[in-house]
């Protein structure tokens, strides 16, 4: 609960959560995770995902229908795998009211803004607030400032992003889908922060008591 | 391909169920179906009941001697067969089960009919690179199939096919534009396709899939595209002057005009009156078509019983005949105009044989008039007199 921790009291609380609740994985070693992408249109949501999915080509993953739903599996150092099922959403203002249909049951929300566009940063804050109010309570949220390669056009200071994320207990990162900077780091960090299902019934009962 | 797969797996399922060893399974299935008729339909409860039954049957099938060596796919096939069997049997009790469902379906259809009269792709900011009538039409056709199926799996297949076509369109455009594509492009196109298609019973179909598609199958990609169609429906239901890229006043006026047009066209379909034929040429053309096929009409034309001046010579006419001739002329001109409109309403393939037929019947007087625009009174008068 210390000031230094960006995720106060999070880990212990999440351990005992049933995995099925968040569309989550089958067992402790192989997680399946629903990830929803939110953010203004034009901030590069789809570019980030395409970079992530194409960069690490997984021959075992089934070919998906299109570009708005993609899935990608990553292997972590502790030999667990995380399969991200990535739900893109339409970022135009007129579809904002439809977002709950998409983020319902999501274990992860990645909220993207464009560092050259302050409006998109305000919109990102709107999504954070909305998810805090209506998202599942233990959703893992990441704030992403995209287009970090356009330094000379930057209008949102990196510190603003860090501060806002800190205040809201989120993970923050700046990425460039164009140069692939920090794209894998984003998803790896999310994977690390995911609540793990209990390994055995022993652990489950322990956390339930706690 | 998809359809063939399902139908074979369904036949496999039925064949297996005929095996004596399956008697216990068949008995559970039958008693489950019968148990449904004891109660009034209650969608949410019924959905849960069916889902629970699917799960218990899956467990039973896994333990069953006939499936001991079965792969996961075999089990899945059996379950798809079971879903189709059960939901076909229970269809009339579970689909659009409440009067409210009917009402919502009608409201959505009606709203879409209004929107269809004026909505253009640019109102949803669909970029020109995604305008592709043939592919849109294909996607619409897939979506329209949804209501024709009874099994939730099959309904879902038509949603997926529709989305696959839209995605192909998006990916092709992305490739040529060198711009990545995603939900920002996908959802507007899906909404536009849904409005163009106006799939019957949209709300009921979505609700049916949600409640009765095997829960473990409505996940991942299928769930994503299902959610997109749900959102398209929601967007249409909530759609107002602020939802589109057009002036609010223009939206209101277009909706009003659409309401008026829809009203008049439904009225005039009951009575095909002369003064309404402008708006309703096609139903008129049907009637005219029937009349022309009737040989009596042509005989009358030929023998001229209704046209006493057909055999007359100009010398025999008196001044008193002018009035009668004039009224006949007006009558003929009016009929001729309607007839031409009716014929122009037909497609070329329908028109050509009809015109040939008329020519053969010796309606030569009709033909040149029909092809020409309405001439001056004098020329037509002389033509009739010359004959």
């Amino acid at each position: 609960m210390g000031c230094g921790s960006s995720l106060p009291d999070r880990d212990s609380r999440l351990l005992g959560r049933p995995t099925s609740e968040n569309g989550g994985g089958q067992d402790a070693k192989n997680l399946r995770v629903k990830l929803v992408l939110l953010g203004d249109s034009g901030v590069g949501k789809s570019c980030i995902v395409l970079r992530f999915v194409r960069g690490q080509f997984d021959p075992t993953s089934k070919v998906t229908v299109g570009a708005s739903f993609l899935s990608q599996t990553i292997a972590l150092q502790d030999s667990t795998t995380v399969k991200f099922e990535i739900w893109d959403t339409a970022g135009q203002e007129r579809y904002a009211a439809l977002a709950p249909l998409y983020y319902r049951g999501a274990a992860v929300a990645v909220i993207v803004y464009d560092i050259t566009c302050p409006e998109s940063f305000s919109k990102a804050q709107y999504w954070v607030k909305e998810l805090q109010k209506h998202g599942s309570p233990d959703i893992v949220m990441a704030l992403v400032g995209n287009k970090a390669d356009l330094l000379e056009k930057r209008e949102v200071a990196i510190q603003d992003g860090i501060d806002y994320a800190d205040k809201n207990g989120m993970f923050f990162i700046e990425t460039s889908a164009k140069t692939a900077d920090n794209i894998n780091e984003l998803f790896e960090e999310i994977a690390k922060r995911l609540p793990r299902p209990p390994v055995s019934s022993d652990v489950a009962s322990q956390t339930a008591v706690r | 391909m998809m359809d063939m797969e399902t139908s074979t797996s369904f036949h496999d399922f039925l064949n297996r169920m005929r095996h004596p060893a399956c008697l216990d399974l068949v008995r559970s299935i039958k008693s489950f179906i019968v148990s449904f008729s004891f109660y009034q339909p209650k969608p949410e409860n019924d959905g849960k009941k069916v889902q629970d039954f699917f799960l218990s049957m899956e467990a039973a099938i896994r333990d069953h001697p006939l499936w001991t060596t079965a792969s996961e796919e075999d089990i899945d096939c059996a379950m798809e067969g079971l879903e189709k069997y059960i939901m076909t049997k229970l269809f009339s009790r579970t689909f659009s089960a409440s009067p409210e469902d009917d009402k919502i379906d009608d409201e959505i259809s009606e709203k879409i009919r209004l929107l269809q009269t004026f909505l253009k792709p640019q109102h949803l900011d669909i970029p020109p690179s995604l305008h592709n009538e043939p592919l849109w039409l294909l996607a619409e056709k897939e979506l329209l199939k949804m209501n024709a199926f009874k099994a939730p799996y099959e309904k879902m297949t038509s949603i997926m096919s529709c989305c696959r076509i839209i995605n192909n369109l998006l990916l092709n455009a992305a490739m040529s534009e060198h711009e990545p594509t995603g939900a920002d492009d996908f959802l507007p196109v899906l909404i536009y396709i849904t409005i163009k298609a106006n799939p019957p019973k949209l709300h009921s179909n979505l609700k049916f899939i949600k409640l009765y598609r095997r829960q473990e199958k409505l996940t991942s990609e299928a769930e994503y595209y299902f959610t997109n169609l749900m959102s398209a429906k929601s967007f249409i239901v909530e759609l107002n002057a602020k939802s589109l890229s057009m002036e609010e006043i223009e939206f209101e006026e277009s909706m009003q005009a659409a309401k008026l047009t829809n009203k008049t066209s439904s009225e005039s379909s009951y009575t095909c009156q002369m003064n309404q034929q402008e708006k309703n040429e096609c139903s008129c053309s049907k009637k005219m078509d029937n009349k022309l096929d009737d040989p009596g009409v042509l005989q009358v034309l030929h023998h001229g019983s209704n046209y006493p001046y057909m055999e007359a010579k100009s010398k025999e006419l008196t001044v008193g005949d002018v009035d009668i001739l004039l009224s006949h002329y007006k009558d003929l001109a009016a009929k001729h105009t309607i007839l031409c409109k009716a014929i122009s309403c037909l497609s070329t393939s329908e028109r050509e044989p009809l015109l040939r037929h008329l020519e053969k019947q010796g309606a030569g007087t009709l033909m040149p008039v029909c092809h020409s625009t309405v001439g001056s009174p004098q020329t037509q008068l002389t033509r009739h007199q010359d004959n």
Side-chain angles (χ1 to χ4, degrees), chain A residues 65 85 88 91-92 94 102, chain B residues 184 220-221 224 228 231 243 245:
Chain A
V65 169
E85 295 183 345
D88 195 5
Q92 296 93 324
R94 65 169 67 105
Y102 295 83
Chain B
D184 287 350
S220 198
E221 194 167 26
Y224 178 76
N228 271 284
S231 329
S243 317
S245 293

Side-chain angles (χ1 to χ4, degrees), chain A residues 3-201:
Chain A
C3 314
S5 165
S6 60
L7 286 168
D9 201 25
R10 198 155 250 269
D11 293 342
S12 61
R13 190 167 54 85
L14 291 179
L15 263 169
R17 183 178 55 86
T19 56
S20 56
E21 201 177 83
N22 271 7
Q26 301 84 333
D27 58 67
K29 286 280 173 195
N30 301 291
L31 296 173
R32 206 182 75 203
V33 164
K34 174 177 169 182
L35 180 154
V36 67
L37 276 174
L38 293 162
D40 246 345
S41 70
V43 296
K45 296 188 296 290
S46 352
C47 303
I48 293 176
V49 183
L50 282 173
R51 258 294 174 201
F52 171 56
V53 174
R54 283 193 193 145
Q56 302 182 356
F57 181 67
D58 173 11
T60 62
S61 81
K62 279 188 194 162
V63 179
T64 49
V65 169
S68 43
F69 175 92
L70 288 165
S71 69
Q72 176 66 288
T73 306
I74 61 170
L76 297 180
Q77 277 171 342
D78 61 356
S79 81
T80 54
T81 65
V82 177
K83 184 187 184 192
F84 286 110
E85 295 183 345
I86 304 168
W87 290 42
D88 195 5
T89 60
Q92 296 93 324
E93 186 57 40
R94 65 169 67 105
Y95 307 121
L98 304 170
L101 291 169
Y102 295 83
Y103 63 66
R104 182 182 303 154
V108 182
V110 172
I111 298 153
V112 187
Y113 68 91
D114 172 355
I115 65 156
T116 70
C117 173
E119 292 80 27
S120 72
F121 185 53
S122 316
K123 194 63 196 277
Q125 298 178 19
Y126 162 86
W127 286 122
V128 173
K129 282 185 203 113
E130 165 140 352
L131 283 166
Q132 284 167 344
K133 257 189 264 169
H134 305 294
S136 45
D138 41 17
I139 193 165
V140 174
M141 286 200 276
L143 182 66
V144 177
N146 192 34
K147 306 200 184 175
D149 53 295
L150 300 173
L151 274 179
E152 72 284 3
K153 289 191 187 160
R154 176 191 285 279
E155 291 200 35
V156 182
I158 190 163
Q159 197 58 44
D160 291 350
I162 294 172
D163 289 347
Y164 188 79
D166 257 2
K167 222 168 43 193
N168 292 280
M170 306 168 73
F171 161 59
F172 173 77
I173 196 167
E174 283 196 351
T175 58
S176 165
K178 198 172 170 191
T179 64
D181 256 7
N182 275 346
I183 298 291
N184 288 341
E185 287 78 355
L186 164 66
F187 289 91
E188 278 161 18
E189 187 57 37
I190 290 169
K192 282 186 210 153
R193 287 168 181 252
L194 282 171
R196 294 305 156 99
V199 181
S200 68
S201 54

Side-chain angles (χ1 to χ4, degrees), chain B residues 215-251:
Chain B
Q215 241 150 42
E216 56 173 301
K217 288 291 173 172
L218 199 57
T219 55
S220 198
E221 194 167 26
E223 187 188 10
Y224 178 76
Y225 288 108
F226 176 77
T227 303
N228 271 284
L229 191 57
M230 290 274 279
S231 329
K233 184 203 88 175
S234 272
F235 182 79
I236 293 166
V237 169
E238 301 294 327
L239 196 151
N240 60 31
K242 291 188 178 72
S243 317
L244 300 172
S245 293
M246 75 193 292
E247 294 294 325
E248 288 185 28
I249 181 87
E250 193 189 343
F251 174 84

